[in-house]
Amino acid sequence: MAGVSVQAFRRQGRRYGAGLVCSEMVSCAGLHHGNERTLGYLRIASDERPLAVQIFGSEPGVMAEAARMVEDAGADLVDVNFGCPVKKVTKTGAGATLLEDPERACAVVSAVADAVDVPVTVKMRRGLENGSRACLELGPRLVEAGAESLTLHPRSARQMYTGEADHSLTAEFVSLVDVPVIASGDVTSRGRAQAILATTGAAAVMVGRAAQGNPWALREIVDGSAEPPSREEVVAELVLFMRETVRELGEQRANGFLKKFYGWYLGRGRFPRPFKQELVQLETITDVEARLFEAAPGARFVLQRIEAEQPPVEETLLADMPISIYGGG
């Protein structure tokens, strides 16, 4: 969920029923070198907890240092990424590459688990290549190294997000480890979630792409509320997401970051395609907000209600983080 799971996304997920939310993956090297943007990922609001912060890297010592920073920032879990299939991550020996390097993978988890008091979890794929069963060998070893829960997305790194997630492999995986397993991949509805839980024995499911611009999917999965949102609800949630993202990232960075979200929120037949294309062409977020309210005037009142229902937010900040992060960059 890199480039997606910002604080606004996580807080929205909690409001719609997610039991646990996770940050986008954070580079341990970026934390080690004090990179300002990377440190900004450790900004944690009180109403998004419980929160897992996910770190990636391949050097046990640097990962342990990053884990301590994550714990100090207030995260409830440290999640280790052994699943990212993107080349710029795997070519460094991190992400899914570690599925085929069990000795290093176990050394990373052991170092992280020894470094922190909060639980350590691992997110993984089945292996690098299609049909790989590397996860079945590695999973029990990661538990021995200190992982207290494992998340399996049963696609290979080569598959990326094509094809279907093979949850028959998830069932095998569950039978081999004595810690809770979270099933990830193609969790798009309540019925699908129930089927995965029933057939795999997993303790929980993880929702990713299905919630992009669609928090109502979480509500449907959690309690069966299948009523689609009104246009006013969609616009209100999008505007709130925009405002919170500007607060977190600063207006200049948020302007480009948000463009992909317009299509995610306004798609699924909610608004015509030309309207989405029009928003992308607007120069400022203020212009986008004005156009959205013009298309759905009643959204202003829905937004006021949502904002009134939100509790006051307290944020946990690392004392040595650059102040400019919190002023919008």
Side-chain angles (χ1 to χ4, degrees), residues 183-216:
S184 173
D186 300 343
V187 183
T188 56
S189 67
R190 182 175 177 84
R192 182 65 177 145
Q194 290 175 326
I196 291 170
L197 290 171
T199 58
T200 65
V205 292
M206 177 176 286
V207 182
R209 289 172 295 152
Q212 293 175 345
N214 192 31
W216 301 277

Side-chain angles (χ1 to χ4, degrees), residues 233-250:
E233 288 178 294
V234 171
V235 167
E237 286 290 355
L238 174 53
V239 170
L240 179 60
F241 185 87
M242 291 162 55
R243 290 178 178 179
E244 290 193 353
T245 302
V246 169
R247 178 181 58 81
E248 181 180 356
L249 304 182

Side-chain angles (χ1 to χ4, degrees), residues 117-318:
D117 292 325
V118 296
V120 173
T121 62
V122 181
K123 170 78 183 295
M124 55 199 300
R125 285 190 172 226
R126 66 181 300 157
L128 288 177
E129 301 298 329
N130 294 344
S132 172
R133 296 169 62 84
C135 64
L136 301 182
E137 175 190 347
L138 183 58
R141 296 185 62 180
L142 296 179
V143 174
E144 291 179 6
E148 296 188 41
S149 177
L150 301 171
T151 299
L152 179 65
H153 184 147
R155 283 184 171 92
S156 68
R158 181 177 292 278
Q159 272 185 279
M160 299 290 285
Y161 295 99
T162 63
E164 294 184 359
D166 178 11
H167 283 294
S168 65
L169 187 72
T170 307
E172 289 187 65
F173 189 76
V174 169
S175 70
L176 294 174
V177 298
D178 57 1
V179 297
V181 172
I182 301 171
S184 173
D186 300 343
V187 183
T188 56
S189 67
R190 182 175 177 84
R192 182 65 177 145
Q194 290 175 326
I196 291 170
L197 290 171
T199 58
T200 65
V205 292
M206 177 176 286
V207 182
R209 289 172 295 152
Q212 293 175 345
N214 192 31
W216 301 277
L218 297 176
R219 185 172 63 190
E220 190 270 336
I221 289 170
V222 171
D223 62 20
S225 301
E227 183 177 349
S230 66
R231 288 164 61 100
E232 289 74 20
E233 288 178 294
V234 171
V235 167
E237 286 290 355
L238 174 53
V239 170
L240 179 60
F241 185 87
M242 291 162 55
R243 290 178 178 179
E244 290 193 353
T245 302
V246 169
R247 178 181 58 81
E248 181 180 356
L249 304 182
E251 185 158 357
Q252 182 176 359
R253 185 176 162 204
N255 194 26
F257 174 87
L258 285 166
K259 291 185 184 298
K260 59 180 173 286
F261 285 89
Y262 302 153
W264 288 340
Y265 274 91
L266 304 176
R268 301 176 176 87
R270 295 167 181 165
F271 286 81
R273 184 180 296 272
F275 181 65
K276 294 176 285 183
Q277 295 170 337
E278 177 187 345
L279 294 185
V280 172
Q281 300 302 317
L282 296 175
E283 292 188 3
T284 70
I285 292 174
T286 301
D287 292 338
V288 173
E289 184 174 315
R291 185 67 185 91
L292 285 166
F293 282 136
E294 182 181 327
R300 292 183 185 274
F301 303 105
V302 178
L303 178 59
Q304 289 173 2
R305 174 180 56 77
I306 295 172
E307 290 179 324
E309 292 173 351
Q310 291 196 93
V313 178
E314 296 179 1
E315 289 186 320
T316 301
L317 314 174
L318 282 181

Side-chain angles (χ1 to χ4, degrees), residues 14 18-21 44-52 73-76 314 316:
R14 289 286 291 138
L20 171 73
V21 292
I44 297 173
S46 56
D47 64 342
E48 59 180 313
R49 300 181 67 178
L51 168 71
D76 301 286
E314 296 179 1
T316 301

